[in-house]
Amino acid sequence: MRSTLTLMAGVAAVAVSAAMVNAGEMGKYPPLAPLGEPPIPLDNKQSDAKVELGKILFWDPRIGGDASTACVTCHEPDQGWAFGDSLSRGYPGTVHWRNSQSVINSAYLGQLFWAGSAASLEKQAPSAAKGAVAGNGENDVMETRLAFIPEYRRRFKEVFGTEYPLIGDAWNAIAAFERTLIVNDTPVDKYLAGDKSALTEEQVAGMELFNGKAGCIQCHNGPQATDENYYNLGVPPAERWEEDGLAQITFRYELYAKGMPQDMYRKLKDDPGLYFRTKEPEHMGKFRTPPLRYTLYTAPYMHNGSFWDLREVVEFYNAGGGENDFTDGTMAATKSDKIKPLGLTDEEMDQLVAFLEAFSGDELRVDPPELPPYEALTSE
């Protein structure tokens, strides 16, 4: 009996010691902070006229290949300014290969898309509008369409001083509009700014877990709750690749288009993530840490929409993540050593989910604009 008690005491002592080490470890990460005003680039300053023009263009499917797919097609306001399916919509006849991320608060990010392929909203807009399985637009075609719309000619001249619309200015206008899609008055913001009544007791308990036992702060830190680094969590491959032929075709196309070597093209069964861009083996299966803000409205979650609510996400982390082709050595073994079983109880998981929900605040509603009509050009 004595030996059993001694052993239990020893285990308890180790657990307490581990908790103390863990707490000390968490303290080295940037703390959560209220979200201030978004940065504005010097070469694309805001104006009311530019924002209004960008809003109209955001809704206009003529900024695309066959005039059917607008920015809002994959970033719908009533779906968290994202798209409520595991994989995003694609250009007609295709389906996208990744989950659509919300544009809310994207103005604060220095790396956009799941693999950070765009460094600003000005670069993100054409990448989406011209992407083969997204907008599939061509600069000259889109620019010509704009020239046949008198309202656009007038607005572009007012904002940019050009006789006819230029497609590069369209990207700047869309970016300016997206910089107004800000939600920075959430319960978390208010609490961190000093209003201790902004969070419930359950949410405060969740925040303590977030900063401690659950270890979320390791990657979800700072004002945006993201370190913008890249990790492999062991998220399983997209289920739709098992049963959706069109999704399979898109995936194979992306592998080919992004320069996968022949042996990998034939063997890969999962999205290699950052490796698409760098071709560095240590980047296989890694994706940028997504911000936690506005996530209450943006399900499903992860780069391929594997989880349909925040409780599923927390359960996944609590189990120590998962396994995929880039964790088991099939193609690589890049799973982050930050991902370990957490030992959270059901009550603690509920508390953590409650805190995560407090990052979102009220939904942002915007009335859609009326799109201006075409009119034949006439010689003067």
Side-chain angles (χ1 to χ4, degrees):
M1 183 70 174
R2 182 181 299 173
S3 61
T4 302
L5 291 174
T6 301
L7 177 61
M8 292 175 61
V11 170
V14 170
V16 171
S17 175
M20 292 174 63
V21 171
N22 185 56
E25 181 75 8
M26 297 305 112
K28 74 179 184 181
Y29 299 101
L32 298 174
L35 196 62
E37 294 302 312
I40 308 297
L42 294 176
D43 59 352
N44 190 26
K45 294 184 178 180
Q46 300 285 93
S47 73
D48 291 344
K50 184 186 291 185
V51 168
E52 184 62 23
L53 172 58
K55 175 183 176 180
I56 300 172
L57 292 169
F58 189 90
W59 258 267
D60 198 330
R62 291 169 289 192
I63 302 295
D66 66 352
S68 70
T69 308
C71 302
V72 75
T73 303
C74 300
H75 299 283
E76 297 194 7
D78 63 353
Q79 296 181 40
W81 293 82
F83 183 61
D85 204 349
S86 55
L87 303 178
S88 183
R89 278 197 181 105
Y91 189 71
T94 74
V95 65
H96 209 277
W97 83 104
R98 286 179 182 158
N99 178 256
S100 181
Q101 297 186 80
S102 177
V103 295
I104 296 294
N105 293 341
S106 58
Y108 299 87
L109 296 173
Q111 302 175 70
L112 295 114
F113 295 117
W114 283 105
S117 57
S120 68
L121 290 173
E122 285 78 7
K123 290 182 171 62
Q124 183 274 336
S127 184
K130 296 161 64 175
V133 298
N136 200 31
E138 297 289 342
N139 283 349
D140 55 347
V141 174
M142 294 184 288
E143 203 167 78
T144 300
R145 286 194 193 118
L146 294 174
F148 277 90
I149 302 171
E151 179 70 8
Y152 279 146
R153 295 202 303 272
R154 181 187 69 77
R155 287 180 179 271
F156 273 82
K157 186 171 185 178
E158 175 189 356
V159 174
F160 297 106
T162 56
E163 193 65 27
Y164 286 95
L166 299 177
I167 196 63
D169 290 335
W171 312 137
N172 286 341
I174 291 171
F177 167 66
E178 289 177 330
R179 286 194 176 92
T180 69
L181 302 178
I182 304 300
V183 176
N184 59 3
D185 60 349
T186 70
V188 166
D189 288 291
K190 294 173 183 177
Y191 184 90
L192 294 174
D195 180 3
K196 299 309 176 184
S197 66
L199 296 181
T200 65
E201 289 185 9
E202 183 182 37
Q203 289 168 337
V204 171
M207 182 172 65
E208 293 174 357
L209 292 165
F210 184 98
N211 290 321
K213 181 178 178 180
C216 310
I217 194 70
Q218 294 175 92
C219 305
H220 294 283
N221 49 53
Q224 263 282 64
T226 173
D227 60 3
E228 295 198 67
N229 286 331
Y230 298 85
Y231 304 97
N232 178 7
L233 312 177
V235 175
E239 290 184 358
R240 284 178 65 175
W241 290 340
E242 297 293 327
E243 56 192 33
D244 185 335
L246 197 55
Q248 293 171 14
I249 291 170
T250 299
F251 175 54
R252 307 312 299 180
Y253 165 78
E254 290 298 329
L255 293 177
Y256 177 81
K258 290 178 168 57
M260 292 296 100
Q262 188 66 216
D263 62 330
M264 292 184 65
Y265 174 80
R266 294 183 179 280
K267 293 178 183 177
L268 271 173
K269 304 293 185 183
D270 201 353
D271 188 339
L274 185 59
Y275 180 85
F276 264 157
R277 294 183 53 219
T278 68
K279 304 304 185 288
E280 297 290 343
E282 63 268 24
H283 291 158
M284 280 191 170
K286 293 185 176 182
F287 295 89
R288 192 207 63 197
T289 305
L292 294 179
R293 292 175 170 279
Y294 213 66
T295 49
L296 180 60
Y297 309 112
T298 62
Y301 304 104
M302 303 300 182
H303 65 275
N304 56 19
S306 289
F307 308 119
W308 288 89
D309 59 46
L310 291 171
R311 175 67 185 225
E312 275 193 279
V313 174
V314 170
E315 289 174 351
F316 171 78
Y317 280 107
N318 194 43
E323 300 294 330
N324 56 37
D325 284 356
F326 312 112
T327 62
D328 64 7
T330 300
M331 298 299 297
T334 60
K335 186 174 179 179
S336 173
D337 59 9
K338 296 179 186 292
I339 306 300
K340 301 173 182 176
L342 302 176
L344 299 177
T345 65
D346 283 343
E347 181 182 16
E348 288 174 328
M349 285 192 284
D350 288 341
Q351 292 168 343
L352 187 54
V353 169
F355 176 62
L356 295 176
E357 291 174 346
F359 275 102
S360 297
D362 296 330
E363 285 191 81
L364 181 63
R365 301 289 190 181
V366 173
D367 292 330
E370 182 176 341
L371 300 182
Y374 285 117
E375 185 177 304
L377 283 170
T378 57
S379 58
E380 296 182 359

